[in-house]
Amino acid sequence: VFLALEPGAAHAIAADVLDAAPGVVCDLSADFRVKDEALQARHYGPRPAATRALAERFVYALADVAGQDLRGARGLAAPGCFATAAQLALAPLAGLGPSGPPVLFGITGSSGAGAAFRETTHHPLRAHNVFAYAPLSHRHDAEIAERWRAWTGAADAPRLAVHAGPFVRGIYLTAHARLASPADAVGAFRAFYARARFVRVVAEPPQLTHVLGSNRADVSVVANEREDEIQVSIAIDNLIKGAAGQAIQAVNLSLGLDEGAGLPVGGAFPC
Ligand SMILES: NC(=O)c1ccc[n+]([C@@H]2O[C@H](COP(=O)([O-])OP(=O)(O)OC[C@H]3O[C@@H](n4cnc5c(N)ncnc54)[C@H](OP(=O)(O)O)[C@@H]3O)[C@@H](O)[C@H]2O)c1
């Protein structure tokens, strides 16, 4: 069962599915992603007791990084769209010994905000326009901080600066980091994603239109001459790699099916 509901709506259905073994439930909301209650409360408000208990039954399903670790999982918490782009850039970077938390700049299309009308998704205000929103307070900071802590042990989390762009679908995100000592960042990214079917490490900064309509993430990494400063750029379709596609990929992995079953690989360029 895939749940793509408004925040706070999933717990009753999710509990029923998990109790009715052998069901598998993949939830696309933020209700079960974060385990640290203080972190969750800071970004989303306190989690109701029923949801808190249920969260322990969900694994964080960043499909291209977790891979076969998802096999057999019955509760899958699909990451947020910005968090997916951010973490696909951060996961290999975490192993390179960053000297501090990377800085992340992201821009999203209007479909990231859902179907309900909002001033910021109204066409005359959104078209041909770019603006920052949720400064220093984007909710996906919570799951990014929790994963970063798990990967590096560092309490100081990367900061996500998000922007609204004049397009409907897609997220483009760039991360900048300094490394404590020189490293072969390009080689490390290629090795990290060598077996990831949906992540392509590309030589030039990726382009958003190349991944739209697909479950792919295109990632580039460039290092300075001393190889102690890197810039990573990533492009995803927020509705596929950042939502429905990743959810299907995670369920495929949990059930031991072909990871790519039912998933689009080719984009819609030009779109
Ligand atoms: N959009 C993205 O890029 C994206 C990416 C990753 C994750 N997500 C997450 O995925 C979820 C859905 O996102 P969305 O963009 O599709 O939002 P959305 O357009 O606002 O859709 C939410 C849907 O949930 C339904 N719903 C709400 N409460 C319900 C209930 N109690 N029982 C049954 N249906 C209920 C609504 O139905 P009605 O229309 O009938 O009210 C609506 O169709 C959210 O939790 C969001 O955070 C979204």
Side-chain angles (χ1 to χ4, degrees), residues 3-10 13 27-31 33 44 78-82 84 108-116 118 139-140 168 170-171 237-244 246:
L3 299 177
L5 307 175
E6 289 165 11
I13 303 165
D27 180 53
L28 280 82
S29 81
D31 291 3
R33 293 176 193 152
Y44 295 94
C81 48
F82 262 125
T84 297
T108 183
S110 55
S111 62
R118 290 183 182 83
R139 288 175 156 189
H140 292 178
V168 174
I171 285 178
D237 185 321
N238 61 301
L239 297 177
I240 304 184
K241 172 51 72 191
Q246 173 158 242

Side-chain angles (χ1 to χ4, degrees), residues 117-214:
F117 170 78
R118 290 183 182 83
E119 202 172 308
T120 50
T121 55
H122 187 41
H123 185 74
L125 299 178
R126 185 73 182 243
H128 314 294
N129 202 4
V130 175
F131 51 89
Y133 68 99
L136 300 179
S137 62
H138 195 275
R139 288 175 156 189
H140 292 178
D141 275 341
E143 56 197 282
I144 294 168
E146 189 162 80
R147 299 322 305 160
W148 185 251
R149 200 190 297 159
W151 290 332
T152 65
D156 210 0
R159 182 63 92 180
L160 176 62
V162 293
H163 301 77
F167 44 92
V168 174
R169 63 199 295 166
I171 285 178
Y172 198 93
L173 182 139
T174 292
H176 173 268
R178 295 185 191 280
L179 308 180
S181 49
D184 173 15
V186 177
F189 269 69
R190 287 198 186 286
F192 192 93
Y193 287 122
R195 286 195 296 278
R197 196 181 321 172
F198 291 103
V199 184
R200 205 168 56 153
V201 181
V202 293
E204 300 291 327
Q207 296 189 34
L208 192 60
T209 53
H210 293 183
V211 299
L212 296 186
S214 85

Side-chain angles (χ1 to χ4, degrees), residues 215-237:
N215 191 50
R216 270 195 358 259
D218 280 1
V219 190
S220 73
V221 52
V222 174
N224 67 353
E225 281 180 6
R226 293 191 307 276
E227 297 196 311
D228 62 358
E229 179 184 10
I230 64 170
Q231 181 169 311
V232 183
S233 292
I234 180 164
I236 65 166
D237 185 321

